[in-house]
Amino acid sequence: GNQALAIGLVAGARLAGLQPVFSSYPITPASGVLESLAAYKNHGVVTIQSEDEIAAICSASGASFAGTLGMTGTSGPGMALKGEAMGLAIATELPLVIVDVQRAGPSTGMPTKVEQSDLLSSIYGRNGDAPMPVVAISKPSDAFELSIEACRIAVQNMTPVILLSDNFIANGAEPWQLPDLDALQRFDVEFTTEKTDDFLSFGRDDKLARPWVKPGTPGMEFRIGGLEKAPTSNISYDPDNHQRMTDIRHQKVRNVADTIPTPTVDGPDSGDLLVVGWGSTVGILTQAVETARAKGLSVSRMHLTHVWPLPHGLDEIFSRFDGILVPEMTVLLRGELPDHDYIPYNKVTGQPFLVAEVVTEIERVLAERSKKA
């Protein structure tokens, strides 16, 4: 998984026409991404083993400021340390890919065990109103594709993006065929190089992304930093401007949903129960739902890869099922789509779900509902 993720980051940067720069501090189980990327220096990949987590993300942001695609990687405790600099990347509106290979916590927790523990902190865990898109890998064989997707979202929307993996994916392996690289869709960056009379450093395109200007471009000087700014890039403490800039940063992230597909339903598109998962539970949930259907139970499955913003169309799909069984992400769905019957199912042991456990839970939920009916 870590190897496929690393190859995907290189491909994503190249599809944007940018040089990949990955700055990271070693941490289990994310270190393999840095190690894999370091082997690609003959392909123009720059890797930096930083002295700490804060230096890693700040140097990656600096790389994006300079006109390359900055990337950084870590695991749970490192995400906490990177928090302030994530806010800086949001305030400066620079593209940045932040890889989080999750592990069991809190604090140093259990570094070699698996846990889907960073979903809510990835979406909400920064000071101020600081939204960013979150993409979740589900297995080693989609790590390449979703790493490219994280790069696309970052450069097209001028925003940092969190790419979630976990220990189960990072150290897992499965057969995977490299696609035809020449057939991959490009999303080349266009740097702004000429200043017009109406140019604003924090002006907006149709995606609400600001222009990307390389430092040193003649006549295109502008201010950059974490202080709130007006569209001109001048520092601003005007309350109406802060409201407007906050709303724009939120809407810019929400607009990402316009560019992602609605997830498909595995099984009947309506019924008694829909199992909704994300991340590395995909294999276990797939087998559990197939086993339950073989027993004659009315159950379908959906798996999310774009977990923030949520894809369009979920409300309508959820409305066709009597109940939604949700391993590990109930709070998020209740907050965004409250008008559905969610049944939480959580496991925090440092071990992945077992197929038998999920089948038993499906049977329990449906049996209870049958009695009530």
Side-chain angles (χ1 to χ4, degrees):
N2 274 348
Q3 291 172 331
L5 194 160
I7 298 170
L9 291 178
V10 178
R14 293 305 188 198
L15 290 170
L18 300 172
Q19 181 179 29
V21 178
F22 188 88
S23 181
S24 184
Y25 178 78
I27 183 171
T28 301
S31 299
V33 179
L34 175 62
E35 292 163 2
S36 294
L37 286 169
Y40 300 137
K41 61 183 179 181
N42 57 316
H43 293 286
V45 179
V46 174
T47 52
I48 306 166
Q49 181 172 323
S50 301
E51 65 267 31
D52 56 48
E53 297 284 5
I54 300 170
I57 187 171
C58 288
S59 56
S61 292
S64 291
F65 174 58
T68 64
L69 184 52
M71 309 167 178
T72 187
T74 189
S75 189
M79 289 292 283
L81 290 166
K82 292 179 188 294
E84 182 181 357
M86 289 186 205
L88 177 62
I90 290 167
T92 55
E93 300 190 51
L94 288 167
L96 178 69
V97 178
I98 304 160
V99 177
D100 176 14
V101 186
Q102 300 166 99
R103 70 190 207 188
S107 187
T108 46
M110 297 190 290
T112 61
K113 301 301 179 182
V114 69
E115 197 169 283
Q116 291 184 302
S117 52
D118 297 347
L119 177 66
L120 294 181
S121 66
S122 295
I123 297 170
Y124 305 117
R126 291 163 293 281
N127 66 294
D129 290 298
M132 69 173 80
V134 181
V135 178
I137 297 168
S138 61
K139 50 192 174 182
S141 61
D142 72 8
F144 175 83
E145 172 190 345
L146 291 175
S147 298
I148 292 174
E149 174 69 351
C151 295
R152 179 195 69 80
I153 293 171
V155 300
Q156 288 188 340
N157 298 276
M158 290 295 285
T159 180
V161 176
I162 292 176
L163 179 61
L164 291 175
S165 180
D166 65 33
N167 199 6
F168 198 51
I169 299 166
N171 295 305
E174 60 180 322
W176 169 70
Q177 185 175 7
L178 185 71
D180 180 359
L181 299 181
D182 294 331
L184 296 175
Q185 186 171 357
R186 298 189 63 85
F187 40 91
D188 289 279
V189 168
E190 292 186 12
F191 292 99
T192 303
T193 57
E194 295 184 11
K195 190 170 186 177
T196 59
D197 291 339
D198 60 350
F199 174 77
L200 294 171
S201 300
F202 283 80
R204 306 291 164 178
D205 65 10
D206 57 354
K207 291 186 173 68
L208 299 182
R210 75 168 182 87
W212 195 355
V213 179
K214 290 185 182 181
T217 303
M220 304 286 284
E221 297 82 3
F222 63 97
R223 290 180 174 86
I224 196 80
L227 290 172
E228 186 59 283
K229 55 194 68 64
T232 59
S233 82
N234 290 338
I235 294 169
S236 173
Y237 280 84
D238 177 72
D240 292 336
N241 176 73
H242 180 53
Q243 180 74 58
R244 184 167 54 254
M245 293 293 278
T246 300
D247 291 344
I248 287 172
R249 288 189 291 262
H250 269 267
Q251 190 58 49
K252 181 174 72 167
V253 172
R254 290 283 186 182
N255 288 350
V256 172
D258 297 337
T259 68
I260 61 179
T262 300
T264 57
V265 175
D266 175 14
D269 60 6
S270 63
D272 294 339
L273 192 67
L274 176 68
V275 179
V276 178
W278 70 283
S280 64
T281 59
V282 63
I284 292 100
L285 298 184
T286 299
Q287 183 59 60
V289 168
E290 289 178 359
T291 300
R293 282 207 294 260
K295 295 184 176 185
L297 300 177
S298 174
V299 56
S300 299
R301 181 187 66 85
M302 171 187 286
H303 212 75
L304 300 178
T305 54
H306 296 81
V307 293
W308 193 261
L310 290 171
H312 296 312
L314 294 185
D315 220 4
E316 193 275 330
I317 293 171
F318 290 176
S319 68
R320 301 199 297 260
F321 291 87
D322 295 335
I324 317 291
L325 180 63
V326 190
E328 306 288 13
M329 63 182 306
T330 317
V331 173
L332 173 62
L333 293 178
R334 278 180 176 161
E336 287 296 298
L337 306 168
D339 299 327
H340 304 282
D341 184 7
Y342 298 110
I343 304 113
Y345 181 42
N346 303 316
K347 180 178 181 179
V348 190
T349 63
Q351 300 292 329
F353 283 104
L354 300 177
V355 172
E357 292 173 336
V358 180
V359 172
T360 299
E361 181 65 8
I362 291 171
E363 292 174 334
R364 183 194 69 78
V365 169
L366 292 176
E368 282 189 3
R369 287 168 174 268
S370 178
K371 288 179 182 178
K372 290 179 181 178

